[in-house]
Amino acid sequence: MLIQLLDAQVSIAGHAILWREIIGNGFGLASAIGGMRRVVWAWPVGIVGNALLFTVFLGGVFHTPQALDLYGQAGRQLLFITVSVYGWWRWARTARTHARPVIPHWASTRERVAMIAVMVVGTVGFAQLFDYLGSYGKWADAWIFTGSLLATFGMARGVTEFWLIWIAVDAVGVPLLFSAGFYPSAVLYLVYAAFVLWGFTAWFRIQNRKEREKITP
């Protein structure tokens, strides 16, 4: 029964699509909505989606219809799970000790410089690793992997810039996934692009309101 569930497919416009890719992305979208609302359940929901998508992006290993290995896309699912455990713990602790959700805030200048350095060095380094492993689209894969690391860590710490990093990730992720045949994931990236702008606006407004409350006499 488990094997049948993992192999279940649906045909869309003549293309075989795994149900677990659709379901995994559904969990990812639900997690993003929870993140925008700053609720703790966003993290465990995201972990479920990451576990499903890990098997999807190792298409050559798990014999998916695409039969392509995107090691960066697969690896970032494991990365998401690891960072999500940290984010889950941090947001739960904030809710428990302060009886409120995490408060959005801008990164400091030092943190921004560090993020740019990590983005550049990480993309170059992971591109070489993914090329050695035989990943499809090594540079795009490396950019997405590194950006996802920064964005997820930024969300865990309540840094508003993490939404902007997601925009940069989506700009590269959509063409890569379409060219590789991962259509549900590519479409979801397009949905994310609009959703990320919405999420950034929501966090920006919350941040400004909190800052005004601090200076109100």
Side-chain angles (χ1 to χ4, degrees):
M1 185 179 296
L2 178 60
I3 293 176
Q4 290 178 343
L5 176 63
L6 290 176
D7 292 340
Q9 301 177 12
V10 60
S11 180
I12 301 178
H15 297 282
I17 306 296
L18 287 169
W19 269 109
R20 70 176 183 265
E21 183 179 356
I22 297 172
I23 295 171
N25 280 305
F27 273 93
L29 181 58
S31 176
I33 293 173
M36 185 190 69
R37 297 178 61 186
R38 299 176 296 140
V39 292
V40 177
W41 59 255
W43 297 103
V45 167
I47 289 174
V48 175
N50 298 146
L52 287 171
L53 291 176
F54 172 76
T55 68
V56 170
F57 291 121
L58 286 184
V61 176
F62 289 94
H63 308 293
T64 67
Q66 296 86 2
L68 291 173
D69 291 321
L70 275 68
Y71 289 104
Q73 290 284 345
R76 79 180 190 135
Q77 305 307 319
L78 299 180
L79 174 85
F80 282 153
I81 292 173
T82 302
V83 180
S84 291
V85 171
Y86 166 73
W88 190 357
W89 167 79
R90 186 179 179 89
W91 281 28
R93 186 185 66 172
T94 299
R96 185 173 58 253
T97 57
H98 300 288
R100 57 166 173 75
V102 63
I103 301 297
H105 62 278
W106 292 120
S108 66
T109 301
R110 182 177 180 179
E111 288 173 327
R112 290 177 180 176
V113 171
M115 286 190 290
I116 294 173
V118 169
M119 196 70 194
V120 173
V121 174
T123 299
V124 173
F126 284 120
Q128 307 313 309
L129 172 62
F130 296 154
D131 182 47
Y132 172 78
L133 293 173
S135 183
Y136 178 83
K138 64 175 185 178
W139 285 104
D141 219 10
W143 174 268
I144 294 168
F145 183 88
T146 308
S148 298
L149 166 64
L150 289 173
T152 309
F153 185 72
M155 175 179 168
R157 298 189 63 83
V159 176
T160 305
E161 283 93 342
F162 92 88
W163 293 105
L164 302 179
I165 298 173
W166 275 128
I167 294 175
V169 169
D170 290 343
V172 175
V174 171
L176 174 67
L177 292 172
F178 269 122
S179 65
F182 293 96
Y183 300 110
S185 296
V187 171
L188 186 67
Y189 267 49
L190 287 174
V191 174
Y192 274 149
F195 178 82
V196 162
L197 291 174
W198 181 25
F200 172 74
T201 302
W203 274 42
F204 181 73
R205 288 174 177 172
I206 294 170
Q207 178 177 316
N208 280 351
R209 185 174 69 248
K210 294 298 181 182
E211 290 176 353
R212 287 196 301 268
E213 291 175 353
K214 287 181 180 179
I215 62 177
T216 300

